[in-house]
């Protein structure tokens, strides 16, 4: 589509004249103007300066804009222009209260599961919330699955689409990764009692996929790519905070309802999978999700087991064929 071609040319962050855009695409300046108008109707912020041309402006998270979308909100939140990771930023706030939220549009040291790097270019919504639930770690095994359901609902609220869930912590759309979740628990050194939980969420909102590493680009997507328009990251962030508050209120009282939704949305169920532990890979079939979010699998030997930790690859996704 011509719109996508214009967006690709404008994503360098520099002004490009209508004449240059027209020559690059083999169309007239009038046609370029019509395409620019259409992109603006789709929500893209495109600046126009005489004798300089057009420039694509990123919509950014704003403390003021987010506050206006959350009147009467009981959780505290802080928007950072940039940070190493929102989880780390919360860890540095030793006395942060339950419901403290850190958000940014750019992470320089994002982390995923198993210590992996979570690529976090501008255009994403990166959010972490600190919770202090009155429960043990063993009673919160379902927390990450419930967080996935909360984000799935928030994406629908903002964009009108339902993402799928890949066990245990990825949201995907048509087989491509849209969101990752990292949950980290802090316990008391002596007693082992749970002190806090940080839930970190990264959503590809207006992420330019060509800014991702090649190996990531082929398996990723973004909300902008899916719906064909720019998304206000503040609207997405506000929806996420509202749904995470719902999750927090339901965490110890409505687990069954939320886990039913998780299982229904989990595309890992009913698929051939590989259980990965270190260098060992074991083939299995994913049969379902248990009450705590564990993956029920049947090995080729016929033996059944519940996988609660580790990595599971799903045949047909992320390069596993």
């Amino acid at each position: 589509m011509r719109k996508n071609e214009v967006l690709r040319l404008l994503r360098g962050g520099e002004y490009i004249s209508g004449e240059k855009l027209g020559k690059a695409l083999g169309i007239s300046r009038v046609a370029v103007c019509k395409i620019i108008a259409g992109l603006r109707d789709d929500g893209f912020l495109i600046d126009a300066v005489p004798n300089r041309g057009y420039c694509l402006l990123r919509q950014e998270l704003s403390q003021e804009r987010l506050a206006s979308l959350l009147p009467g909100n009981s959780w505290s939140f802080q928007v950072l222009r940039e940070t190493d990771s929102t989880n780390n930023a919360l860890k540095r706030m030793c006395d942060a209260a339950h419901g403290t939220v850190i958000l940014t549009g750019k992470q320089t040291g994002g982390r995923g599961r198993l210590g992996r790097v979570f690529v976090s270019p501008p255009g994403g919504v990166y959010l972490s919330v600190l919770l202090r639930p009155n429960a043990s770690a063993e009673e919160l095994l379902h927390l990450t699955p419930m967080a996935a359901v909360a984000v799935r609902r928030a994406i629908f609220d903002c964009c009108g689409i339902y993402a799928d869930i890949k066990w245990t912590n990825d949201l995907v759309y048509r087989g491509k990764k849209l969101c990752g979740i990292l949950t980290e628990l802090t316990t008391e050194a002596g007693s082992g009692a749970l002190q806090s939980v940080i839930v970190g969420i990264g959503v590809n909102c207006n992420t330019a996929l060509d800014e991702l590493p090649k190996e990531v680009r082929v398996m990723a997507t973004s909300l902008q790519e899916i719906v064909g328009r720019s998304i206000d990251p503040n609207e997405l962030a506000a929806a996420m905070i509202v749904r995470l508050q719902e999750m927090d209120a339901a965490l110890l009282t409505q687990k069954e309802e939320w886990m039913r939704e998780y299982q229904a949305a989990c595309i890992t169920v009913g698929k051939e999978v590989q259980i990965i532990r270190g260098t060992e890979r074991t083939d299995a079939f994913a049969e379902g999700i248990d009450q705590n979010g564990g993956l029920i699998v049947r090995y080729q030997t016929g033996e059944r087991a519940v996988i609660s930790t580790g990595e599971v690859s799903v045949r047909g996704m992320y390069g596993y064929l």
Side-chain angles (χ1 to χ4, degrees):
M1 293 176 59
R2 292 295 193 191
K3 284 184 178 180
N4 290 336
E5 293 174 354
V6 171
L7 283 175
R8 177 179 55 80
L9 292 170
L10 291 177
R11 276 182 178 143
E14 298 179 352
Y15 284 85
I16 304 178
S17 70
E19 182 180 359
K20 285 186 177 179
L21 287 171
K23 285 183 177 179
L25 300 176
I27 58 177
S28 68
R29 291 181 64 180
V30 172
V32 169
C33 289
K34 289 181 179 179
I35 293 171
I36 295 293
L39 288 169
R40 285 172 170 160
D41 289 342
D42 290 339
F44 291 94
L45 300 180
I46 300 176
D47 190 28
V49 176
N51 301 319
R52 293 185 67 190
Y54 302 102
C55 180
L56 177 64
L57 307 177
R58 292 188 188 274
Q59 296 191 70
E60 296 186 351
L61 287 167
S62 157
Q63 186 83 22
E64 294 73 21
R65 167 75 171 141
L66 188 55
S68 72
L69 295 170
L70 293 168
N73 173 66
S74 60
W75 283 4
S76 64
F77 54 86
Q78 182 180 0
V79 175
L80 304 178
R81 184 172 184 83
E82 178 182 306
T83 188
D84 54 349
S85 86
T86 51
N87 273 27
N88 286 348
L90 270 179
K91 288 177 184 178
R92 291 190 286 268
M93 301 169 63
C94 303
D95 299 324
H98 179 92
T100 300
V101 179
I102 297 292
L103 308 98
T104 189
K106 182 181 179 183
Q107 294 185 135
T108 58
R111 293 177 295 111
R113 292 180 68 248
L114 305 178
R116 294 194 181 98
V117 172
F118 185 88
V119 182
S120 314
V125 171
Y126 310 108
L127 177 156
S128 293
V129 58
L130 184 141
L131 304 174
R132 298 189 185 275
N134 185 22
S136 66
E138 291 73 22
E139 294 173 299
L140 296 174
L141 296 175
H142 61 293
L143 175 56
T144 299
M146 282 185 66
V149 171
V151 179
R152 180 175 184 265
R153 292 177 178 180
I155 289 173
F156 179 80
D157 294 340
C158 181
C159 302
I161 61 164
Y162 275 123
D164 297 317
I165 299 171
K166 174 186 174 294
W167 190 89
T168 176
N169 65 330
D170 285 356
L171 269 66
V172 300
Y173 191 81
R174 295 182 178 174
K176 292 192 172 185
K177 185 170 179 175
L178 179 62
C179 165
I181 300 172
L182 176 65
T183 303
E184 297 184 287
L185 281 65
T186 301
T187 56
E188 197 172 69
S191 65
L194 182 67
Q195 291 184 318
S196 65
V197 179
I198 294 176
V199 182
I201 302 158
V203 181
N204 293 335
C205 183
N206 297 316
T207 308
L209 300 182
D210 54 9
E211 293 184 10
L212 297 171
K214 287 183 179 180
E215 65 273 15
V216 176
R217 192 183 312 161
V218 295
M219 62 180 69
T221 189
S222 69
L223 292 175
Q224 177 180 292
E225 182 85 6
I226 294 166
V227 302
R229 61 178 174 84
S230 182
I231 305 299
D232 183 346
N234 297 285
E235 292 183 0
L236 175 61
M240 290 167 66
I241 289 173
V242 169
R243 291 299 190 173
L244 287 167
Q245 287 175 321
E246 287 182 0
M247 179 207 74
D248 179 48
L251 191 58
L252 301 177
T253 59
Q254 299 175 39
K255 179 172 77 170
E256 290 184 4
E257 175 191 337
W258 284 64
M259 292 311 301
R260 281 196 297 271
E261 183 172 342
Y262 181 89
Q263 166 140 335
C266 184
I267 59 171
T268 308
V269 175
K271 299 285 180 59
E272 295 179 18
V273 298
Q274 278 191 344
I275 315 300
I276 303 172
R277 295 187 177 94
T279 59
E280 181 182 346
R281 294 174 177 260
T282 307
D283 293 329
F285 183 81
E287 293 190 328
I289 305 293
D290 77 358
Q291 70 274 14
N292 292 316
L295 184 66
I296 304 169
V297 300
R298 184 182 72 248
Y299 293 110
Q300 292 181 335
T301 61
E303 177 188 0
R304 285 179 170 82
V306 176
I307 308 300
S308 299
T309 60
E311 186 174 4
V312 172
S313 290
V314 180
R315 187 175 291 279
M317 290 183 61
Y318 297 4
Y320 170 39
L321 303 176

